[in-house]
Amino acid sequence: MNLEQGPPGIDVTVPSVARIYDYLLGGKDNFAVDRAAAEKLIELTPNAREGVRSNRRFIRRAVTLMAEKGIRQFLDIGAGLPTQENVHEVALRAAPGSRVVYVDNDPIVLTHGRALLADNATTIVVDGDLRDPEGILGDPRINEHLDLSRPVGLLMVAVLHFIPDAGSIVATLRDRLAPGSAMALSHLSYGDLDEEKIREGRELYKSTSAAGVTPRTHAELLRFFDGFDLVEPGLVVTEDWRPEPDEPRLPRIPGVDGYAGVGLLP
Ligand SMILES: C[S@@+](CC[C@H](N)C(=O)[O-])C[C@H]1O[C@@H](n2cnc3c(N)ncnc32)[C@H](O)[C@@H]1O
């Protein structure tokens, strides 16, 4: 029996990928089911905690790069629970006046995001589902906050692996972005896990809010950047995407790999 009570509208009986991720990052917005699923993930892939931290550093570097390229509007789909160095904080530091929209389909992200952003006029959080990209692009709240006819920094970080047919979704979004826009992706790959661990990992994700996981190969992920110019160093292991010289590098621990890259739309 689960004795924890979640906020109204929050299901604490099904592990949520947003809350599992929060736990892996050391956050407090998670429940017993999420912690149990996260611990199982760590058992299967001992690098899980390092992987999520590395992913967060990628977000900071990618948003900073987008700001340097002159981008002042950011659309972060699959934004996750607020943590440290959120997209709006990085964007506003790099380019004051930037406008940010967070989109997620997990109600807990919306509740916490709205509380955090209550007095922030430049950033909003809306409910939306990446499986319905037209719905996101046509959402009046998003169109009031961002001008989609001008360049946008689109982030889909650690989310596309929850979407089985992601190729057409990425293409739909790309086709609506203005020239000068950018897209940042990070994504799970199989790494050096053996067949049995991959099978157990898939089973674990089936029981979560995402109802499954679709790790992809480097070649499959490169196709998501069709139509974009990949910026240096290309699509690489997340930890290797523009590491900062003074940052401690994580030791390589066997397990799942993540790839990350940023593309610019000519
Ligand atoms: C692993 S977290 C990544 C959070 C953040 N992007 C990061 O990298 O730090 C994945 C997020 O994607 C969200 N998500 C999963 N499927 C989604 C969908 N179909 N539409 C919108 N968000 C989704 C989850 O709720 C979760 O918050």
Side-chain angles (χ1 to χ4, degrees):
M1 186 170 59
N2 192 324
L3 295 174
E4 281 179 303
Q5 290 274 312
I10 306 293
D11 186 348
V12 298
T13 64
V14 174
S16 134
V17 291
R19 299 184 319 231
I20 292 172
Y21 187 82
D22 174 72
Y23 176 76
L24 292 173
L25 278 172
K28 300 270 179 282
D29 299 317
N30 48 73
F31 300 96
V33 278
D34 311 308
R35 295 189 283 275
E39 287 297 339
K40 178 73 187 158
L41 268 183
I42 294 168
E43 239 176 85
L44 290 173
T45 64
N47 63 354
R49 280 205 170 94
E50 287 73 14
V52 296
R53 276 186 240 138
S54 183
N55 194 59
R56 292 300 305 180
R57 285 200 292 276
F58 167 67
I59 292 178
R60 174 161 49 77
R61 297 169 190 152
V63 171
T64 305
L65 175 87
M66 289 174 177
E68 283 166 11
K69 298 280 178 197
I71 290 175
R72 299 290 179 265
Q73 329 183 77
F74 298 85
L75 178 59
D76 182 4
I77 308 179
L81 279 155
T83 171
Q84 288 174 356
E85 291 282 82
N86 298 296
V87 167
H88 72 284
E89 290 157 335
V90 179
L92 287 169
R93 193 167 60 229
S98 292
R99 296 175 78 79
V100 178
V101 175
Y102 291 121
V103 179
D104 207 285
N105 70 346
D106 189 320
I108 200 165
V109 172
L110 306 169
T111 309
H112 284 252
R114 285 185 181 137
L116 175 79
L117 298 167
D119 55 0
N120 182 326
T122 62
T123 307
I124 61 168
V125 51
V126 304
D127 52 309
D129 198 311
L130 185 50
R131 290 166 293 188
D132 176 20
E134 297 287 0
I136 292 176
L137 292 165
D139 189 308
R141 297 165 296 179
I142 296 177
N143 284 279
E144 265 168 37
H145 199 72
L146 305 180
D147 177 356
L148 297 183
S149 69
R150 298 176 58 77
V152 169
L154 171 66
L155 296 116
M156 291 183 286
V157 182
V159 62
L160 285 170
H161 44 240
F162 298 124
I163 314 280
D165 52 351
S168 62
I169 291 168
V170 174
T172 300
L173 293 166
R174 177 202 60 212
D175 291 349
R176 284 286 299 281
L177 292 179
S181 294
M183 178 179 77
L185 301 184
S186 75
H187 198 289
L188 282 184
S189 202
Y190 302 91
D192 55 8
L193 288 190
D194 61 37
E195 293 283 319
E196 180 51 23
K197 286 195 169 152
I198 292 174
R199 197 194 58 73
E200 283 184 53
R202 284 185 186 282
E203 282 306 310
L204 179 68
Y205 273 107
K206 269 190 208 161
S207 69
T208 67
S209 56
V213 67
T214 308
R216 293 185 169 91
T217 63
H218 187 267
E220 287 172 312
L221 294 176
L222 264 187
R223 287 203 281 280
F224 289 158
F225 287 96
D226 281 354
F228 290 90
D229 296 332
L230 262 178
V231 302
E232 287 298 321
L235 180 67
V236 293
V237 168
T238 307
E239 184 67 5
D240 293 339
W241 198 86
R242 298 189 176 223
E244 281 152 31
D246 54 343
E247 247 173 10
R249 302 297 303 281
L250 291 176
R252 278 272 150 79
I253 303 172
V256 167
D257 271 344
Y259 288 113
V262 174
L264 301 177
L265 204 59

